[in-house]
């Protein structure tokens, strides 16, 4: 049997006839998870950002016929680099992405490597303000994606994850991030005391973000090198961790609702730091 990925179709401004995916045993599409080192992306901005920043990470591409003219640069790159792509039906894209929110394009890609704290800090500019986020317990992929989008918009240098965190980029998070996932590196922290010591040695102040009980964010003067420590959805931030931080801040409001969710709160926090710069 011929390998359907051996020869990629040469792109043309004239859309070819859509070709269905080759059948799989049991009639099911490939699973969304492609192994620990691979990720299934979907959505125009997510795939385009991958192509612009890490084209070598692309492994396979599936697209709707209508997107052929718009994806000409990517398709030409696939041909030149012997990366297989297929024009498929809408239903196949729905199965591949496990959602209808794919915007006509799905890609299997290699994950960006997660950095160690030492690697990340070694690459930071020494003469510019730096902002990072420490995500202590965030787990919802849509919140994670929204945080990545805000982080990319405000120039966050990295998302710091505790050593026991299971949080990882998913296709859903990357789509919600609208390309932001490629702009903000993920960093694996060492154990808590060591992580704090290394960050402070690098000139960072750590600000715990509390639903209530912290200093008014809008009256706080924030350091040039700052790490916001964000708590989990629902439970909020661990109080013991908050007390070990250099600052504790809260976002004041009208009181009409109990609080902002973690993604909305992150956008407010980032914008305030950015405005002070």
């Amino acid at each position: 049997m011929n390998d359907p990925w051996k020869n990629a179709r040469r792109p043309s401004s004239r859309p070819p006839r859509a070709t269905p995916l080759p059948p799989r045993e049991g009639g099911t599409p490939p699973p969304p998870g492609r192994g620990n080192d691979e990720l299934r992306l979907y959505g125009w901005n997510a795939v385009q950002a991958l192509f612009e920043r890490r084209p070598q990470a692309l492994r396979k591409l599936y697209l709707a016929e209508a997107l052929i003219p718009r994806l000409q640069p990517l398709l030409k790159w696939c041909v030149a680099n012997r990366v297989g792509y297929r024009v498929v039906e809408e239903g196949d894209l729905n199965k591949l992405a496990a959602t209808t929110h794919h915007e006509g394009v799905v890609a299997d890609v290699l994950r960006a490597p997660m950095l160690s704290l030492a690697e990340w800090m070694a690459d930071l500019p020494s003469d510019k303000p730096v902002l990072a986020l420490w995500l202590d317990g965030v787990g919802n992929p849509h919140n994670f994606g929204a945080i990545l989008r805000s982080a990319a918009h405000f120039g966050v240098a990295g998302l710091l994850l505790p050593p026991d965190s299971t949080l990882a980029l998913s296709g859903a998070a990357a789509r919600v991030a609208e390309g932001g996932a490629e702009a903000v590196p993920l960093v694996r922290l060492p154990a808590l005391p060591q992580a704090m010591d290394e960050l402070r040695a690098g000139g960072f102040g750590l600000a715990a973000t509390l639903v209530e009980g912290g200093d008014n964010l809008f009256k706080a003067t924030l350091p040039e090198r700052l790490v916001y420590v964000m708590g989990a959805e629902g439970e909020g931030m661990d109080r013991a961790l908050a007390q070990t931080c250099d600052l504790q801040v809260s976002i004041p409001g009208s009181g009409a609702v109990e609080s902002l969710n973690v993604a909305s709160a992150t956008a407010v926090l980032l914008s305030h730091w950015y405005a002070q710069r």
Side-chain angles (χ1 to χ4, degrees), residues 50-122:
L50 182 284
F51 175 52
E52 290 174 356
R53 290 176 177 266
R54 295 189 302 125
Q56 72 282 358
L58 183 63
R59 289 296 174 264
K60 294 178 183 178
L61 181 71
Y62 308 82
L63 68 151
E65 185 173 313
L67 262 67
I68 290 175
R70 192 179 182 191
L71 285 172
Q72 282 294 302
L74 175 52
L75 298 180
K76 290 177 181 177
W77 187 92
C78 287
V79 171
N81 291 273
R82 302 181 64 82
V83 173
Y85 73 89
R86 297 296 303 273
V87 178
V88 299
E89 301 285 358
E90 181 80 7
D92 292 314
L93 289 169
N94 294 344
K95 292 176 183 178
L96 286 161
T99 178
T100 59
H101 300 297
H102 48 69
E103 299 174 329
V105 60
V106 177
D108 289 335
V109 306
L110 291 177
R111 290 182 180 275
M114 187 172 289
L115 303 177
S116 70
L117 182 59
E119 290 171 331
W120 175 72
M121 291 183 67

Side-chain angles (χ1 to χ4, degrees), residues 147-229:
I147 288 170
L148 281 165
R149 185 174 184 177
S150 294
H153 180 77
F154 289 110
V156 169
L159 265 59
L160 316 183
L161 304 179
D164 58 348
S165 173
T166 60
L167 187 63
L169 186 67
S170 65
R175 184 190 68 80
V176 173
E178 295 287 0
E182 290 296 324
V184 186
L186 302 183
V187 181
R188 179 68 70 189
L189 293 170
L192 190 148
Q194 180 184 347
M196 288 191 160
D197 287 346
E198 291 185 16
L199 287 166
R200 286 176 175 134
F204 283 94
L206 284 80
T209 57
L210 306 177
V211 172
E212 57 183 16
D215 295 331
N216 185 329
L217 171 70
F218 303 126
K219 295 181 180 180
T221 300
L222 302 173
E224 292 285 291
R225 293 167 79 88
L226 175 67
V227 177
Y228 278 126
V229 185

